[in-house]
Amino acid sequence: MQYPAPGQPGAGGPGAILPFRLLFAAPRRAAARPASPTLMHLRYLPLLALALPACTSPDTKTADSAVAVADARFDRFKNQLILDLWKQNPDYASAMGFHKYDSLLVIPDEAQRRREAAFVAQKLGALAGFGFDSLSASNQIDYRLLGNELRAQRWYADTLKSWQWNPASYNLGASVGDLLAGRHYPLARRLRNISDKLAQAPAYYAAAKANITGPTREHAELAVKQNEGGLAVFGPALADSVRKSGLSAAEKQLLTQRIAGAQKAVQGYIDFLKKDVLTGKEFRSFRIGKALFDRKFALDIQSRYSASEVFQLAQQHQAALLHDMGRRAARLFPKYCAGQPVPKDTMQLIRQVIDKLTLKHAPREGFVDAVKRQIPTLTKFVNDHKLLTQDPSKPLVVRETPLYMRGSGAGASVSAPGPYDKQANTYYNVEPLPPTWTAQQAESYLREYNDYTLQILNIHEAIPGHYTQLVYANRSPSLVKSIFGNGAMIEGWAVYAERMMLEAGYGENSDEIWLLWDKWNMRSTLNAVVDNLIQTQNASEKDVVALLTGAGFQEEAEARNKWHRATLSQVQLSSYFTGYTEIVALRDEIKQKQGAQFSVKNFNEQFLSYGSAPVKYIRELMLRR
Ligand code: ZN
Ligand code: ZN
């Protein structure tokens, strides 16, 4: 899910996986088939002996009622905290389905930053007043999530300071586009909210301009692109909506004036970036360096592992995947390359087989349609193989990615309804190939998303990946877990879902689909590797592209796209591999523990039932049962 395009820098869209603070600072036949040899190599994790205390207190009843009292108090605290947060973060609230503050536009100025700092200090103080041990397991997780979130917000604002150097933090078009497209209120009411919001547009962009200090060139360029896309929101379609709405003549006139004012403010910001910022000679490096990266990793990922450990694990996994690819390519070679001499070099052998497999792909104009057609097949497979229970009342709507969300390098993403409006549509955003691309660029992209890989992508983004996980997350009784979704768990689930489907026999357990899954999984593995290399080890574009097109077997366009994305985000690219590794380890641990009793369906449903919490906390709860 990209979701967002999960965590897309400055995307500002309704990405349910967007870490809250990104918006705060500114505006994701298991048992029948033995695990593939590749995966056998993946047992990095020692099976931990269960040392969690059992509930054997002689005063169980007293203890239970004490927990109930503490929980009730904590529930009140966290519900109030969330309501307070929404007022300061109306865009994020709206993205989560809480629409009370849709008409507010927060001006990202110094006064606002002081209010946020005071808010965090006050809430952290209140949090410290709760006895952690007195809470239920689920609330203990919420306690940790809230503490982490509050501390992360301060770190983002005071230490990372992306509100200064990331001009793409500011994009009014994105938030207005979401309000306009929302179904929560009738058109007239949505337009009134938009009108109130747009009245603040000049102040909003004035504050944005004042905030920009030592920006990176990459984020400034992204901001131009996204705000130009955002400008489209204030175009003829909006004027059309105003005309046909039930607003009074006076309201229409006022709104029309405000739209013109917003257009001018957005254009002024774009001009400022182009003329004053991008013409400058000195830019901050987009690389945040090891100290900031390690800390950001700890705050964003909340893994059992450190950033350095994940870097090591990813390199080991890279070797294991390569081993499996060589084995499968050797078996496929006679079928696809009959009569040709077998290359002595394994990398060459793998590449030659992959080059044949990727010839099958969607036509340039039919990419979005190809995605659309696959969704029912995936739904049926999950049902037929009893992998988990699906909810047919929550349909997935495949659409072309809205303009204001394009340009951040994510070809597909899921925009899901938040915990407050579970009835809203879940969108699977698929970006059509840009018309500006040459035939060669398009071919490169289409081969990357060939017929096999496109199925894996759809599993990842949609069913039973991000979309399915989000449906479960919205059922979770914990608002905190639904809101402060853990990116690594969300991305990890989507990657785990791919493997789980293939293990259940999706793709007929063929060497073809496994080889391309290995290649695909190599991608999330190398995401973790290059994230660290680029942000902390000064890796060059040339070296990164060489790694991705070499060991990663990626097409050049994909590799360049990844480089681009890795310059705009930090840590997020490590989340896929980290979460996946933790989930597979947990599944193996539970399988070991339950033996013949183990059921994939039970594991999946139980795992998802806790919402988007860090895997390490879900593990604690699942092992305690
Ligand atoms: Zn994903
Ligand atoms: Zn072709």
Side-chain angles (χ1 to χ4, degrees):
M1 131 178 144
Q2 262 242 347
Y3 293 48
Q8 284 302 315
I17 67 168
L18 259 183
F20 171 73
R21 57 193 155 267
L22 289 186
L23 294 149
F24 188 89
R28 123 176 232 108
R29 117 236 94 166
R33 182 182 176 280
S36 83
T38 304
L39 301 161
M40 303 284 232
H41 294 253
L42 290 184
R43 295 253 173 83
Y44 311 121
L45 308 173
L47 295 180
L48 295 186
L50 278 188
L52 297 166
C55 261
T56 50
S57 152
D59 297 309
T60 306
K61 259 190 188 159
T62 317
D64 282 353
S65 76
V67 167
V69 169
D71 268 349
R73 205 178 126 239
F74 189 71
D75 287 345
R76 282 194 299 276
F77 165 76
K78 64 186 187 184
N79 288 333
Q80 188 57 49
L81 189 155
I82 289 165
L83 289 175
D84 294 345
L85 276 174
W86 290 157
K87 201 164 178 180
Q88 294 186 53
N89 304 273
D91 282 357
Y92 193 66
S94 186
M96 289 284 118
F98 186 85
H99 297 292
K100 187 174 168 192
Y101 303 121
D102 279 5
S103 65
L104 300 184
L105 182 62
V106 172
I107 309 303
D109 58 10
E110 186 54 35
Q112 173 64 15
R113 284 190 288 280
R114 276 199 300 269
R115 278 192 292 275
E116 288 171 0
F119 173 83
V120 168
Q122 191 249 319
K123 293 301 181 187
L124 276 175
L127 197 57
F130 288 93
F132 180 80
D133 293 331
S134 69
L135 300 171
S136 65
S138 178
N139 265 339
Q140 287 183 357
I141 292 183
D142 285 2
Y143 178 99
R144 286 154 154 173
L145 287 174
L146 288 173
N148 186 78
E149 190 59 36
L150 293 165
R151 280 187 294 274
Q153 282 182 20
R154 287 328 302 156
W155 184 82
Y156 268 73
D158 300 337
T159 306
L160 187 65
K161 296 191 172 177
S162 46
W163 56 272
Q164 290 184 340
W165 53 259
N166 180 4
S169 306
Y170 312 104
N171 181 359
L172 190 52
S175 79
V176 171
D178 290 345
L179 286 188
L180 190 62
R183 292 279 174 273
H184 43 281
Y185 293 138
L187 180 64
R189 183 157 179 198
R190 273 180 281 147
L191 289 173
R192 279 184 196 112
N193 285 334
I194 288 171
S195 186
D196 287 347
K197 207 162 180 141
L198 291 185
Q200 303 298 319
Y204 173 86
Y205 277 108
K209 281 185 200 172
N211 286 347
I212 307 300
T213 315
T216 81
R217 175 189 290 281
E218 292 75 12
H219 292 93
E221 286 169 351
L222 177 67
V224 168
K225 200 183 284 184
Q226 291 193 329
N227 275 280
E228 280 173 348
L231 215 42
V233 172
F234 305 112
L238 178 57
D240 236 33
S241 299
V242 176
R243 217 170 298 125
K244 70 183 184 207
S245 73
L247 295 184
S248 72
E251 283 177 318
K252 283 181 183 174
Q253 197 195 356
L254 181 61
L255 176 50
T256 304
Q257 277 168 15
R258 285 173 171 174
I259 291 169
Q263 278 173 328
K264 205 174 143 207
V266 179
Q267 190 58 57
Y269 187 58
I270 294 168
D271 291 345
F272 159 78
L273 292 173
K274 282 182 173 169
K275 289 174 195 152
D276 298 336
V277 173
L278 283 166
T279 52
K281 291 195 182 76
E282 302 257 314
F283 289 94
R284 178 196 170 104
S285 168
F286 63 83
R287 304 175 203 269
I288 64 173
K290 184 167 165 39
L292 289 178
F293 186 87
D294 287 355
R295 184 66 184 142
K296 191 168 193 281
F297 182 91
L299 290 167
D300 286 2
I301 307 268
Q302 300 178 71
S303 166
R304 295 160 72 187
Y305 309 116
S306 69
S308 302
E309 283 169 333
V310 164
F311 182 63
Q312 296 302 324
L313 289 171
Q315 287 176 305
Q316 289 168 26
H317 188 47
Q318 177 188 337
L321 284 173
L322 214 47
H323 176 79
D324 192 62
M325 291 175 87
R327 202 175 60 95
R328 294 188 189 276
R331 286 207 297 256
L332 290 169
F333 191 85
K335 182 172 167 189
Y336 289 92
C337 307
Q340 296 175 37
V342 182
K344 291 207 174 61
D345 173 35
T346 307
M347 298 297 277
Q348 186 52 38
L349 174 78
I350 295 169
R351 192 176 313 277
Q352 239 172 284
V353 172
I354 286 176
D355 278 350
K356 292 288 180 189
L357 297 181
T358 59
L359 286 173
K360 285 172 65 180
H361 60 72
R364 178 170 182 163
E365 301 304 329
F367 187 69
V368 178
D369 276 346
V371 169
K372 234 175 240 184
R373 279 197 305 272
Q374 279 176 16
I375 303 301
T377 312
L378 294 174
T379 305
K380 187 171 183 312
F381 186 90
V382 168
N383 284 339
D384 290 352
H385 292 76
K386 300 188 170 55
L387 296 177
L388 46 77
T389 307
Q390 300 182 87
D391 186 346
S393 72
K394 305 276 188 297
L396 178 64
V397 182
V398 185
R399 69 174 179 186
E400 292 193 358
T401 308
L403 290 173
Y404 61 83
M405 289 173 69
R406 295 186 194 180
S408 54
S413 66
V414 169
S415 302
Y420 295 104
D421 59 352
K422 299 173 187 174
Q423 300 315 313
N425 283 335
T426 299
Y427 293 105
Y428 184 10
N429 309 306
V430 187
E431 198 161 331
L433 277 61
T436 51
W437 278 7
T438 63
Q440 200 189 347
Q441 282 175 308
E443 177 70 7
S444 174
Y445 186 85
L446 290 166
R447 287 188 68 165
E448 189 72 31
Y449 291 101
N450 60 79
D451 285 356
Y452 298 102
T453 306
L454 193 60
Q455 296 177 64
I456 297 166
L457 173 74
N458 287 328
I459 292 171
H460 177 104
E461 297 294 338
I463 296 164
H466 289 315
Y467 157 70
T468 306
Q469 191 265 322
L470 281 168
V471 172
Y472 271 83
N474 279 343
R475 268 191 229 155
S476 157
S478 163
L479 199 51
V480 170
K481 293 185 199 72
S482 296
I483 292 165
F484 301 105
N486 179 263
M489 180 274 181
I490 290 169
E491 287 305 337
W493 170 264
V495 178
Y496 160 80
E498 302 159 10
R499 179 178 156 191
M500 189 256 297
M501 286 285 277
L502 264 57
E503 287 181 346
Y506 185 83
E508 273 130 30
N509 196 25
S510 66
D511 279 328
E512 283 90 341
I513 200 153
W514 274 109
L515 176 57
L516 284 167
W517 182 80
D518 282 349
K519 176 176 181 279
W520 172 263
N521 191 250
M522 184 70 95
R523 177 195 296 197
S524 46
T525 306
L526 290 178
N527 277 349
V529 174
V530 304
D531 189 24
N532 200 296
L533 284 175
I534 292 171
Q535 293 293 335
T536 78
Q537 301 176 53
N538 220 30
S540 69
E541 176 169 6
K542 188 166 161 274
D543 289 348
V544 167
V545 170
L547 174 64
L548 296 176
T549 56
F553 302 97
Q554 294 182 12
E555 300 286 334
E556 165 117 12
E558 182 73 12
R560 300 254 171 224
N561 200 22
K562 182 56 51 66
W563 164 264
H564 176 63
R565 184 168 161 194
T567 63
L568 296 171
S569 72
Q570 320 82 29
V571 169
Q572 197 267 335
L573 281 171
S574 297
S575 59
Y576 305 72
F577 175 76
T578 308
Y580 163 73
T581 301
E582 287 189 281
I583 295 171
V584 170
L586 174 60
R587 187 202 54 182
D588 290 349
E589 199 173 354
I590 295 215
K591 211 169 176 176
Q592 175 95 1
K593 191 180 160 206
Q594 296 180 342
Q597 305 298 311
F598 179 82
S599 137
V600 187
K601 184 167 183 279
N602 289 347
F603 173 81
N604 290 340
E605 291 179 354
Q606 202 197 328
F607 181 85
L608 293 177
S609 71
Y610 300 104
S612 311
V615 178
K616 64 177 173 183
Y617 299 144
I618 296 178
R619 174 175 173 275
E620 232 177 82
L621 289 178
M622 285 182 78
L623 292 178
R624 207 180 288 182
R625 274 168 64 112

